[in-house]
Amino acid sequence: MDRQAVFGTRFGRRRRREESALAKPWKVRGLDPDLPFREAAKKIIATKYAEVASYQDAALAAEDNEAVHSMRIAAKRLREALNIVRDGLPGKRVRRARDDANELNDALGAVRDCDVLLEWLDSQLPEASADEAAAIMAIAPMVQSER
């Protein structure tokens, strides 16, 4: 099995953080200090939710491991926004949304852990002995299937 068949093209080169398109927080449009709390909270949550959803297709395509990372960051922002507004927006919907955001964040974290491990395994191949390379090539598909 060759390297590209195991690792694909996602890990061929480590990108520096400043090169990658990491999640930048979206600005919440229409916020005003005179806006009632409930309206402001709804605008914030809607923006954070849309931010998470914007990464969905790229993260599910599994072609760009940075999309998973960006979606995870956006999901954390959504979760924290929900935590901030929870007292002003009581009810089951906010609690359920917070629980869903936590669950999404946990799932994305597991995928991200696999991506980081795969990237590290790929980076070890050039310096690996034949036995080490064989072990890496045997382990990588297992990690990929967990992803």
Side-chain angles (χ1 to χ4, degrees), residues 71-90:
M71 188 174 188
R72 185 173 181 219
I73 291 170
K76 284 182 178 186
R77 289 187 184 121
L78 172 61
R79 182 188 64 203
E80 293 310 313
L82 287 163
N83 283 335
I84 289 169
V85 302
R86 73 177 171 224
D87 293 334
L89 295 175

Side-chain angles (χ1 to χ4, degrees), residues 1-16:
M1 207 177 300
D2 75 348
R3 184 179 188 172
Q4 187 161 351
V6 172
F7 292 100
T9 57
R10 295 180 302 150
F11 304 109
R13 153 179 103 78
R14 279 183 80 112
R15 291 193 276 184
R16 293 188 337 227

